[in-house]
Amino acid sequence: MVSKFTLTSLATILLVLSAEADSSFFTGAVYEHARYYSKNESAREIVEINLDCYRKATELASSKGADIIVFPEYGIFPPLERAEVKKFLETIPDPKKDRVNPCEDGEAYSQRIILHTLSCIAKNNSIVVVANMGDLQKCEGDPDCPEDGDFHFNANVAFDRDGTLLMKYHKEHLFYEFGMDLARAQQNSTFETDFGTFATYICFDIDFGRMSEVGQWPTVDAVLFSTMFVDQAPQMISVQFWESWALANNKTLLAANIQIPGFLAVGSGIFHGEEGALAYTFNPDGISKLVVARVPKRDFESVAPYTSITASTADGQWEWKDDGKDVPEVCSRTLLNDSTVITRDYRCMEENMTDYTFVKLTEPKGRVDACNNGVCCFVDYETDGLTEDYYLGVFNGTYNHFGRYNWCEEDCVMARCDSLGDRPCATFPMKSETVFRHLHLKGNFTSKVVYPSVTESGMRLVPRSDWHHHTHDNLLSDIHFDSESGRKLLVAGLKGRCYDKDPPYRR
């Protein structure tokens, strides 16, 4: 007969072991939201419809054991001109000054339904919520105050499991967004939870050095990223770039994107600093999706995998299969013009590659070299036969983004591409038939942070078991890909970001 003491001791041991096991990971969720918007509806009706989607997504994430959920940029309302966007803004209090819990103080927040609802979503599901909204702050008397007397900030907010506002962060790099004002100063975007320390950033912030710097802080467990991203081939397609950011900075990234294919925005996931994609979705179909994954905490190399992707519409929810099945071969706006059905007709753009040096791969296997302004790269490769055009492209200098923003880049990329006019490598298909068995891409960089990526036909991320990357002490960086069965590669790229040489950011 087992004694009461023995049973009690056994139960205690099991509880301790369970706690120790749970301390090695947290479970994260990101929601790729097909935002609702109609010019025929009031601002409140639009907000309520989108928040109802958030509520259902959070309930589902909580049922799957998620500790935290991240929502996309402009998921509750769209980017609009100043007078129109003001209708959607709420004054967000400073959680550093006072304890703020809108769910517990419903009367005070009866006219601030976004703050109240998000707080209650967190509290009712005992989950940390990170979401994007607009912060309206009166500024009369400030010499920089806009004519209407208010600052409009693109803001992320984080709520603790009990609904308490943990922090707010104002986007520091606006991408056009003329209805919003630039953050007044650089901020500390980190906050604490019961399962780790996190930082949050918003969309265009990822292209600048501050997010990389904070992401590399050893105390930060993960970066929580809300975005409405503009896909650009060949190296800046959403999930491709999210994975490369995580790998280059050795930091977990939870990236929640909008699902509006005609606005060049699709693709979300959870990406580990060593293992790469833990779970992701990239399927331009206008359907919202919840991605959940178990994430190793810092100092823990790996945990037993647990992932899921769930589709969500007004008609119900279902486990998502065959992700990527709706990726078209061509998405270029250069070739297709604008989308007529934004929920279905996916569009992408090309990076500005005007000043790249391109050299064509002409043999089934071999080596190709190219240089540009002091950066030299080579690709050594073996295929089953080149059935499409591939080029090695190299660039070093000041990169001009959409004719408005400038920064320093050092690029070394091998990509499938098609000619257009007098440009031999102008557009980048999303599917290929050329099977690669081996590839070694290498370049010399001055950048301390170099973003590696390897993608295959259908814009799928090549599993990390087939490739690895390394940045050497002498700032040489390379990618090694080997596959006995072969893969139909689209892109292998190394994007160096020489943040220290960036000109000042101007909105």
Side-chain angles (χ1 to χ4, degrees):
M1 183 176 179
V2 181
S3 68
K4 181 178 180 181
F5 174 79
T6 303
L7 288 172
T8 302
S9 301
L10 181 60
T12 302
I13 292 169
L14 289 173
L15 283 171
V16 170
L17 289 174
S18 175
E20 288 179 348
D22 288 347
S23 68
S24 66
F25 68 88
F26 67 92
T27 301
V30 298
Y31 183 56
E32 181 166 301
H33 179 42
R35 182 192 63 227
Y36 174 81
Y37 177 69
S38 170
K39 293 181 179 180
N40 299 321
E41 307 267 8
S42 70
R44 187 177 184 105
E45 288 171 324
I46 291 165
V47 166
E48 287 177 342
I49 289 170
N50 286 304
L51 287 175
D52 190 54
C53 296
Y54 280 24
R55 183 183 298 107
K56 292 175 182 176
T58 307
E59 290 170 353
L60 178 62
S62 179
S63 73
K64 291 177 175 288
D67 298 292
I68 189 166
I69 185 169
V70 184
F71 291 102
E73 181 186 33
Y74 290 113
I76 300 173
F77 58 88
L80 298 165
E81 295 299 323
R82 190 170 187 91
E84 284 299 308
V85 82
K86 192 184 289 286
K87 304 172 186 177
F88 294 90
L89 308 185
E90 297 181 4
T91 299
I92 306 172
D94 185 354
K96 296 178 181 178
K97 293 182 179 179
D98 299 292
R99 181 181 181 274
V100 178
N101 191 311
C103 191
E104 293 178 355
D105 196 0
E107 185 174 342
Y109 287 87
S110 61
Q111 298 305 309
R112 287 181 278 181
I113 62 168
I114 297 175
L115 285 167
H116 181 259
T117 303
L118 291 174
S119 172
C120 289
I121 286 174
K123 181 177 181 179
N124 294 341
N125 294 282
S126 188
I127 191 172
V128 174
V129 170
V130 176
N132 181 257
M133 59 182 293
D135 185 12
L136 185 148
Q137 296 291 330
K138 298 291 182 183
C139 58
E140 292 179 3
D142 189 309
D144 297 323
C145 188
E147 292 182 359
D148 58 11
D150 303 314
F151 282 130
H152 296 179
F153 297 115
N154 179 335
N156 266 14
V157 289
F159 293 91
D160 210 346
R161 294 183 190 270
D162 64 354
T164 300
L165 182 64
L166 291 170
M167 63 87 66
K168 69 173 177 178
Y169 165 79
H170 292 158
K171 188 177 182 181
E172 294 179 0
H173 302 90
L174 296 177
F175 183 71
Y176 292 88
E177 298 176 80
F178 299 121
M180 294 295 184
D181 298 299
L182 200 60
R184 303 288 287 150
Q186 190 176 84
Q187 304 142 89
N188 180 359
S189 66
T190 63
F191 61 94
E192 304 284 338
T193 71
D194 63 300
F195 53 92
T197 301
F198 299 90
T200 188
Y201 285 95
I202 305 169
C203 203
F204 202 31
D205 287 332
I206 201 171
D207 284 310
F208 298 90
R210 179 60 174 173
M211 180 168 157
S212 175
E213 174 193 345
V214 173
Q216 293 184 47
W217 288 358
T219 55
V220 172
D221 287 281
V223 174
L224 314 172
F225 185 60
S226 300
T227 184
M228 181 178 171
F229 198 71
V230 174
D231 279 346
Q232 296 174 88
Q235 293 186 88
M236 296 186 71
I237 300 291
S238 60
V239 293
Q240 170 198 38
F241 194 40
W242 309 157
E243 181 179 61
S244 69
W245 190 95
L247 295 173
N249 292 287
N250 192 26
K251 188 67 63 181
T252 295
L253 181 72
L254 279 71
N257 196 6
I258 282 284
Q259 164 70 242
I260 309 180
F263 283 176
L264 304 90
V266 61
S268 303
I270 300 173
F271 307 90
H272 187 258
E274 293 182 1
E275 298 177 29
L278 300 179
Y280 73 97
T281 175
F282 187 89
N283 197 78
D285 56 8
I287 297 174
S288 300
K289 299 173 191 75
L290 179 77
V291 180
V292 178
R294 187 175 288 165
V295 183
K297 291 185 181 179
R298 64 176 187 270
D299 302 327
F300 288 90
E301 292 185 359
S302 62
V303 297
Y306 167 74
T307 63
S308 70
I309 304 175
T310 309
S312 181
T313 67
D315 297 326
Q317 298 172 331
W318 66 95
E319 292 307 299
W320 182 248
K321 306 294 183 185
D322 299 323
D323 193 76
K325 63 184 176 63
D326 293 307
V327 174
E329 180 169 359
V330 178
C331 60
S332 170
R333 282 180 70 188
T334 304
L335 299 175
L336 302 175
N337 297 318
D338 287 336
S339 170
T340 55
V341 183
I342 63 170
T343 58
R344 188 175 66 244
D345 296 339
Y346 174 52
R347 295 292 184 267
C348 64
M349 298 186 72
E350 292 80 30
E351 294 183 68
N352 178 9
M353 307 185 82
T354 305
D355 297 322
Y356 277 60
T357 298
F358 286 109
V359 178
K360 189 175 183 179
L361 282 60
T362 58
E363 302 296 331
K365 66 177 182 179
R367 170 174 166 150
V368 170
D369 296 76
C371 296
N372 181 292
N373 197 23
V375 169
C376 292
C377 303
F378 74 78
V379 60
D380 180 89
Y381 65 96
E382 179 181 345
T383 72
D384 285 356
L386 285 171
T387 58
E388 294 121 344
D389 289 345
Y390 284 80
Y391 283 81
L392 174 66
V394 185
F395 173 77
N396 178 24
T398 300
Y399 176 82
N400 182 266
H401 188 68
F402 284 90
R404 186 177 185 91
Y405 307 100
N406 296 282
W407 57 70
C408 179
E409 270 194 21
E410 299 171 321
D411 288 346
C412 177
V413 57
M414 186 220 70
R416 189 205 158 182
C417 59
D418 290 341
S419 62
L420 184 66
D422 60 355
R423 291 181 293 160
C425 187
T427 63
F428 302 87
M430 306 202 79
K431 293 185 178 179
S432 67
E433 294 297 328
T434 301
V435 175
F436 284 76
R437 298 189 182 276
H438 163 77
L439 181 143
H440 180 204
L441 181 70
K442 189 171 186 177
N444 65 300
F445 298 83
T446 65
S447 304
K448 294 181 180 179
V449 183
V450 178
Y451 295 96
S453 62
V454 184
T455 56
E456 62 181 320
S457 186
M459 191 42 64
R460 309 311 295 168
L461 303 177
V462 172
R464 292 285 286 156
S465 56
D466 281 0
W467 71 281
H468 64 274
H469 72 285
H470 189 66
T471 297
H472 305 268
D473 291 338
N474 57 2
L475 296 184
L476 289 171
S477 291
D478 61 2
I479 284 172
H480 286 268
F481 162 83
D482 288 284
S483 171
E484 289 186 8
S485 59
R487 289 188 180 274
K488 298 174 182 178
L489 296 188
L490 279 179
V491 177
L494 294 163
K495 181 179 286 290
R497 273 295 279 113
C498 25
Y499 296 120
D500 57 326
K501 299 177 184 176
D502 281 358
Y505 164 81
R506 292 184 178 87
R507 69 156 301 180

